[in-house]
Amino acid sequence: MTMKDFKNVWIFAEAQRGKLSPTAFELLTAGRKLADELGEKLCAVLVGYRVEQFAKELFERGADIVYICDDAALENYLDDVYAKVLADMVAAYKPNKFLLPATNLGRSLSAKTAVFVGTGLTADATEVLINKEDGQLHATRPTFGGNLMATITCAHTRPEMCSLRPMSYEKAPLQAGRTGETVHFAFDPAKHTTLAKFMEFIKSRGDGLDLSEAEIIVAGGRGVGKAEGFELLHKLADRLGGAVAASRAPVDSGWIDYRYQIGLTGRTVKPKLYIACGISGQIQHMAGMSGSDVIVAVNKDPEAPIMKVANYAIEGDLYDVVPAMLEALK
Ligand SMILES: Cc1cc2nc3c(=O)[nH]c(=O)nc-3n(C[C@H](O)[C@H](O)[C@H](O)COP(=O)(O)OP(=O)(O)OC[C@H]3O[C@@H](n4cnc5c(N)ncnc54)[C@H](O)[C@@H]3O)c2cc1C
């Protein structure tokens, strides 16, 4: 591997079932900074079926080149097949850095692709920088339960790969009319085989509102005390047009599903308003919500860590405070 042959910053634009994931725009923000510092191009990669339609918006949000592998055989995601396609694209075009989203799909795809390519991957990073001295990618991620931040490098192989946590970067702004170069990559069914077979797509039962896109979140912790307690939080969330979330304690207690968990081992969110009810504010929870614009904490204990970081700290029992909020909102 001659490292000098590898040029340009790639981002994987996840697109499934006719929808482009907004994580692509976050990766374009992160990738743009890297590409500018290196004096290289920013490229987006689309793999799937009928995904070419998304190239326009990728250009308008900063991509200089969009690589597209579009084939009916790629309609349903299978990580073996997608990873082989990506590995072949990497071999053909030799990117220098390659960022993928740390979504469910991206976590599995990035790991497999890195193995097929024979390079290193920093999984689940929250920040990426270029080291000015040698142009290496420095990818930082929480470690030891969020108590330390580790910066990881990949010194000897290219591309340097990294999966980035959703919501770690703002979405790249739209520059209407901006355009770029499109490169098509042919899918070869004989080459991209797999033992896995797609059977059926079953949509998870959501309540309509995507937590990562919610502008207002009402979160409950151990202080909620029981599964039924979340009904009250749902009422407040509904009144505010927001979504409900949780710390890990209620998830572990079986009061609410894991997909609502915010934090180090849950989801990262950046709402305009985060109302934390009965949550103490341990570092692992803060890792997922400290980017919120305004934090309101409702807690019986004035010494709870979250009361120190909250913009508004309300000392009291959530079963008194939340009904009072609902009453006031009437
Ligand atoms: C590797 C690792 C990963 C982790 N990942 C996550 C993660 O992703 N997300 C996460 O949240 N945690 C995570 N944790 C767990 C984390 O360390 C804490 O244990 C957890 O966040 C505590 O949840 P909590 O604040 O709801 O509960 P507690 O810490 O028990 O706090 C409950 C709070 O509720 C208050 N309270 C009680 N009753 C009421 C009431 N009626 N009204 C108002 N306030 C009340 C109490 O004063 C207290 O402050 C992780 C831990 C580890 C080791």
Side-chain angles (χ1 to χ4, degrees):
M1 193 177 273
T2 313
M3 302 226 282
K4 274 191 279 170
D5 294 345
F6 289 74
K7 284 259 167 315
N8 296 338
V9 175
W10 280 19
I11 67 110
F12 180 72
E14 181 178 325
Q16 287 290 299
R17 310 199 171 271
K19 218 175 147 224
L20 180 62
S21 163
T23 53
F25 310 142
E26 296 165 19
L27 295 180
L28 284 171
T29 298
R32 171 49 63 200
K33 264 191 89 188
L34 306 184
D36 287 351
E37 281 188 33
L38 292 162
E40 295 182 359
K41 288 195 167 128
L42 175 61
C43 314
V45 183
L46 280 165
V47 178
Y49 183 44
R50 296 191 173 132
V51 289
E52 188 166 357
Q53 52 172 320
F54 303 122
K56 180 175 176 284
E57 188 162 3
L58 293 169
F59 289 132
E60 290 189 329
R61 292 193 189 256
D64 301 312
I65 302 174
V66 177
Y67 293 95
I68 305 172
C69 186
D70 197 318
D71 195 285
L74 297 167
E75 181 169 13
N76 296 304
Y77 175 74
L78 287 172
D79 50 17
D80 271 353
V81 179
Y82 271 52
K84 279 181 195 158
V85 168
L86 284 188
D88 283 356
M89 288 172 121
V90 165
Y93 302 109
K94 297 191 171 48
N96 186 0
K97 326 282 179 211
F98 192 2
L99 311 180
L100 295 96
T103 52
N104 288 344
L105 184 152
R107 282 172 201 233
S108 134
L109 178 62
S110 54
K112 280 220 168 180
T113 307
V115 171
F116 289 151
V117 170
T119 190
L121 166 78
T122 303
D124 217 16
T126 50
E127 191 181 17
V128 281
L129 295 170
I130 295 294
N131 180 25
K132 292 208 166 34
E133 275 153 39
D134 54 14
Q136 266 190 41
L137 185 73
H138 281 198
T140 302
R141 54 155 298 157
T143 187
F144 288 111
N147 290 309
L148 276 180
M149 297 300 281
T151 298
I152 298 168
T153 61
C154 167
H156 306 296
T157 52
R158 292 292 179 271
E160 294 152 282
M161 288 183 62
C162 168
S163 64
L164 257 183
R165 265 190 172 218
M167 308 299 272
S168 298
Y169 283 82
E170 299 288 335
K171 294 180 184 65
L174 201 74
Q175 304 162 60
R178 189 182 180 283
T179 183
E181 183 190 344
T182 305
V183 177
H184 287 272
F185 187 81
F187 176 74
D188 179 354
K191 207 169 156 204
H192 300 121
T193 54
T194 176
L195 292 174
K197 190 174 167 207
F198 175 82
M199 304 297 287
E200 188 188 356
F201 177 75
I202 302 169
K203 209 169 180 301
S204 71
R205 279 184 296 127
D207 13 319
L209 194 58
D210 181 357
L211 205 49
S212 55
E213 310 224 320
E215 296 204 328
I216 297 177
I217 291 178
V218 181
R222 199 191 307 275
V224 173
K226 51 187 185 259
E228 299 73 39
F230 276 89
E231 292 303 320
L232 182 63
L233 304 192
H234 270 292
K235 273 193 197 151
L236 182 59
D238 289 347
R239 185 73 55 81
L240 294 168
V244 164
S247 68
R248 181 156 140 182
V251 174
D252 286 348
S253 302
W255 304 338
I256 191 163
D257 193 79
Y258 165 70
R259 68 198 155 97
Y260 293 92
Q261 184 180 314
I262 305 297
L264 189 67
T265 42
R267 311 180 62 157
T268 305
V269 291
K270 260 188 186 184
K272 290 195 172 137
L273 175 62
Y274 191 88
I275 306 179
C277 305
I279 294 177
S280 61
Q282 299 304 313
I283 188 163
Q284 294 88 356
H285 185 75
M286 301 298 293
M289 46 65 75
S290 57
S292 308
D293 288 351
V294 173
I295 299 171
V296 175
V298 182
N299 202 303
K300 284 205 278 201
D301 176 8
E303 300 302 321
I306 198 147
M307 301 294 261
K308 311 241 163 10
V309 296
N311 302 81
Y312 299 93
I314 304 174
E315 186 189 338
D317 189 318
L318 70 95
Y319 286 100
D320 297 328
V321 176
V322 175
M325 285 176 166
L326 282 165
E327 193 55 36
L329 283 164
K330 268 185 188 164

